[in-house]
Amino acid sequence: MKVWEFDTELRAESINEEAEKSWQWYQEHVGNRAIPKVEFLFTAVEYFEHFLEAYGEPCTVHWKISKVWGNISYNCIVDGPEIDPIGQYDDDTWYSRYFMRNYEKGARYHYDRKRHQNHIQFEAPLKPKKRSMIRQILLAFLLAVAVFFVLRLFPETVKDMALNGIITPVFNKITVMIAGMATPLVFLSVIGGIVGVGSSTKVGQIGGKFVSNMMVCYGFTATVLSAVAVMFYGLSSVSSGGDAGAVGELVKLVLDMMPNNLFECFVNDNALQVIVLAIFIGDVLLLMGDKAAGLHSAVESLEGLVNKMMTLLCKLLPAVVFLGVLRILFMDISETARLAKTAVAFVLCAIAIEIFVMIRFRVITGASPFKLFKVQIPTTMMNLATSSQVGTMPENMRCLKEDVGVDEKLLNFCLPLGIVTYMPNGAAFLGLVGWGIADLSGVPINGLSLVKIAVISVVVAIAAPPIPGSAFAVMPIIFSTCSIPLTYYSLAIILGTVLGYFLPVLNGYALQLETIITAYKLGQIDMEKFAKFKAGSGEK
């Protein structure tokens, strides 16, 4: 372990200079895992500004920086009043807390008061290691095929021992562990999201408008998802009892959404009841206000704990693919080609969603959505190359602020929130993969199941945390809704690896359009810049 210690005196006029020095030190010691300079400077300046706001000017910061196994941890010691510089829930700094709480690079922030001094600890943001989840899954798939052909050379007794003695029990254990974490993960994410959005009046106003815009898109997504799924896969009969039976099952569906108590829905793994309970608890915590401050903190801590546990479990996904593919190869793969229909169905849904958002943008603002696409081609290509929206966020913010005229404070809130919660194409992906595998496995889907899948796909897409593999981690909830055996879980991961690669590009472009729509409706946009953008002079 290496340790560096030094002091920095922060002043308003020297913030940019100190951020530049920090970047040079960071780049030197991190190497090829350094994030883009613009993103680092954006974060560093934000931190330094919060330090000055909390402790006054000049602010002397004693840095103790340690490097262990390539990870760099910053420990700051600052004299002054007992204030958490990042954790203040006021109008100006709440978005920072939300941003840091939800991103992998900021999830390790910690504040403490020791010996009359403020101790702030956080880890340096780093690019993911080159062994990405997609590459690991592909390698696992290829390795499973190779092992399958090798095992075919052995006697039947050896193959049977490998399949039933090792592959099947290990696969079942891992998938049950992941499935068991999915429900509490969504439960806590829904509560945390409700509590977070309502923590500030001003942020609540912006968030309310932005979330209402998102829900319009999600409503369309659920509709087009259902229509495309029915067109490709059809429906089994709703009931055998005629209209009265259908009405009775519809009433039963509504009643079944209401949990009998706080625990039964978890025991029975009823996803709809868990979501309804989470919404109810989140709303009650908002109504309690400051009286529930301790519960707010507890929910946030539990959410972070479950996210961390799920992050660790997601590292097992390549093993799930390896074992699952082996099981399928030993059984029968003649029907898996039918999953190609799911890919075509998803493409149709994605096109419909993007066109819908573009039309809304055109109708509401009067501007051409293609102008924004032309300006954002470099970041779009980066999204495609990295399969992530996080790295391109600073450039997206710069573009929307300087080229389009969106207010900076609205951007600081809407883009981080949107990256976490705005996943319409993700909802279409989850629903269609569930539907396709239900069709493959012979599980009948009726009209009521259609409603369940559409609703849960949207909620799970919103609640899934921004961690690698989270979409795969919450897939068991869709499986449970459709009564799909977890035997087919590996197929969902393989299909999702192909389709999910394009989600950041699709969701990122739609998110930018939705952000401009929100700013336009709230009047938080520089109309002079926006007029130039509409006329085309904002293009580069």
Side-chain angles (χ1 to χ4, degrees):
M1 181 177 78
K2 294 183 179 180
V3 179
W4 297 267
E5 291 193 55
F6 54 88
D7 291 329
T8 299
E9 188 175 81
L10 296 178
R11 298 179 182 271
E13 64 271 14
S14 64
I15 281 182
N16 291 329
E17 180 182 348
E18 293 296 336
E20 184 69 33
K21 291 180 182 178
S22 299
W23 160 254
Q24 293 173 359
W25 187 95
Y26 166 81
Q27 187 181 40
E28 177 184 349
H29 291 88
V30 174
N32 58 9
R33 294 193 65 194
I35 62 173
K37 182 177 180 180
V38 173
E39 182 180 350
F40 181 91
L41 293 178
F42 176 86
T43 306
V45 169
E46 181 181 304
Y47 264 92
F48 295 160
E49 287 178 347
H50 289 326
F51 278 18
L52 291 180
E53 291 173 6
Y55 308 123
E57 184 180 350
C59 175
T60 301
V61 182
H62 178 74
W63 298 88
K64 183 177 181 181
I65 305 176
S66 57
K67 183 177 182 180
V68 183
W69 299 106
N71 296 318
I72 294 181
S73 177
Y74 292 89
N75 295 273
C76 312
I77 302 175
V78 186
D79 293 324
E82 184 176 353
I83 300 176
D84 180 352
I86 308 298
Q88 301 178 80
Y89 289 89
D90 57 45
D91 293 346
D92 294 325
T93 62
W94 178 86
Y95 71 86
S96 301
R97 181 64 170 173
Y98 186 90
F99 177 89
M100 295 177 60
R101 187 185 67 190
N102 283 284
Y103 280 104
E104 177 73 8
K105 67 183 181 184
R108 301 182 181 92
Y109 174 85
H110 178 70
Y111 168 82
D112 197 7
R113 180 78 172 181
K114 299 178 181 178
R115 293 185 289 275
H116 307 291
Q117 291 178 315
N118 299 286
H119 290 251
I120 302 101
Q121 181 178 3
F122 54 93
E123 293 196 5
L126 299 172
K127 282 183 180 178
K129 294 182 178 178
K130 291 184 177 181
R131 294 179 298 170
S132 67
M133 183 65 69
I134 292 176
R135 293 180 181 178
Q136 291 180 45
I137 289 175
L138 178 60
L139 179 62
F141 177 80
L142 296 176
L143 184 60
V145 173
V147 171
F148 169 72
F149 282 110
V150 170
L151 287 176
R152 289 186 63 182
L153 302 175
F154 288 85
E156 287 295 325
T157 54
V158 175
K159 289 190 291 185
D160 183 70
M161 181 186 68
L163 178 63
N164 299 316
I166 301 174
I167 296 172
T168 297
V170 175
F171 173 83
N172 290 340
K173 173 60 69 174
I174 296 176
T175 52
V176 167
M177 289 170 59
I178 294 176
M181 291 299 300
T183 299
L185 177 71
V186 171
F187 175 73
L188 291 168
S189 295
V190 171
I191 295 177
I194 293 174
V195 171
V197 170
S199 63
S200 167
T201 302
K202 187 172 181 179
V203 169
Q205 292 172 350
I206 297 175
K209 180 63 69 176
F210 184 66
V211 169
S212 67
N213 286 337
M214 284 199 304
M215 296 317 296
V216 170
C217 185
Y218 273 123
F220 177 81
T221 299
T223 302
V224 74
L225 160 65
S226 303
V228 170
V230 171
M231 179 175 65
F232 274 74
Y233 299 106
L235 287 175
S236 59
S237 59
V238 175
S239 70
S240 58
D243 293 338
V247 172
E249 288 194 25
L250 182 60
V251 172
K252 184 176 183 298
L253 172 66
V254 175
L255 293 177
D256 283 346
M257 292 172 61
M258 309 301 170
N260 295 327
N261 55 58
L262 295 176
F263 309 104
E264 184 179 358
C265 55
F266 292 97
V267 174
N268 297 332
D269 199 23
N270 190 317
L272 274 177
Q273 288 187 0
V274 169
I275 291 168
V276 170
L277 181 62
I279 293 173
F280 177 69
I281 292 176
D283 289 336
V284 170
L285 289 176
L286 283 182
L287 291 174
M288 292 177 66
D290 293 338
K291 295 179 181 178
L295 291 175
H296 292 185
S297 178
V299 168
E300 183 178 328
S301 298
L302 286 173
E303 184 184 0
L305 172 64
V306 174
N307 278 342
K308 186 62 177 177
M309 293 171 66
M310 184 59 82
T311 300
L312 296 175
L313 282 178
C314 283
K315 296 182 183 299
L316 298 176
L317 288 176
V320 174
V321 172
F322 172 76
L323 298 170
V325 170
L326 272 175
R327 292 191 67 193
I328 294 170
L329 290 174
F330 273 115
M331 296 176 185
D332 183 13
I333 61 171
S334 60
E335 293 188 343
T336 55
R338 291 162 57 189
L339 285 175
K341 287 199 305 184
T342 302
V344 176
F346 171 74
V347 170
L348 290 179
C349 275
I351 292 173
I353 291 168
E354 296 299 306
I355 291 176
F356 174 74
V357 177
M358 291 167 70
I359 291 175
R360 286 186 68 238
F361 178 82
R362 178 73 179 187
V363 171
I364 294 173
T365 68
S368 169
F370 296 104
K371 286 187 170 65
L372 180 66
F373 182 77
K374 291 178 181 178
V375 172
Q376 292 285 54
I377 285 178
T379 55
T380 299
M381 296 306 296
M382 189 180 298
N383 281 337
L384 183 62
T386 61
S387 190
S388 172
Q389 295 184 61
V390 177
T392 57
M393 192 181 75
E395 177 60 22
N396 288 336
M397 296 184 77
R398 185 209 61 76
C399 171
L400 294 179
K401 177 185 175 182
E402 297 179 8
D403 297 339
V404 184
V406 177
D407 182 83
E408 184 177 8
K409 287 187 177 181
L410 183 141
L411 280 176
N412 288 338
F413 172 74
C414 288
L415 275 186
L417 174 63
I419 289 176
V420 176
T421 62
Y422 186 69
M423 304 289 175
N425 291 284
F429 154 70
L430 289 168
L432 287 171
V433 170
W435 203 299
I437 295 179
D439 177 70
L440 177 65
S441 60
V443 175
I445 301 292
N446 58 27
L448 297 177
S449 300
L450 171 66
V451 176
K452 285 183 179 181
I453 293 172
V455 171
I456 290 181
S457 295
V458 169
V459 175
V460 169
I462 294 173
I467 59 178
S470 63
F472 306 135
V474 297
M475 183 63 73
I477 294 179
I478 305 295
F479 274 45
S480 174
T481 302
C482 302
S483 300
I484 300 173
L486 283 176
T487 305
Y488 295 87
Y489 185 52
S490 57
L491 280 180
I493 295 177
I494 295 169
L495 188 58
T497 300
V498 178
L499 301 181
Y501 193 77
F502 299 96
L503 291 181
V505 175
L506 298 170
N507 289 327
Y509 177 59
L511 172 60
Q512 293 171 56
L513 295 177
E514 292 284 5
T515 303
I516 297 173
I517 290 173
T518 301
Y520 190 87
K521 285 184 175 181
L522 292 173
Q524 293 187 312
I525 192 167
D526 187 326
M527 295 308 298
E528 184 177 346
K529 285 186 179 180
F530 190 64
K532 291 180 180 179
F533 170 77
K534 289 174 63 175
S537 60
E539 297 178 18
K540 292 186 177 179

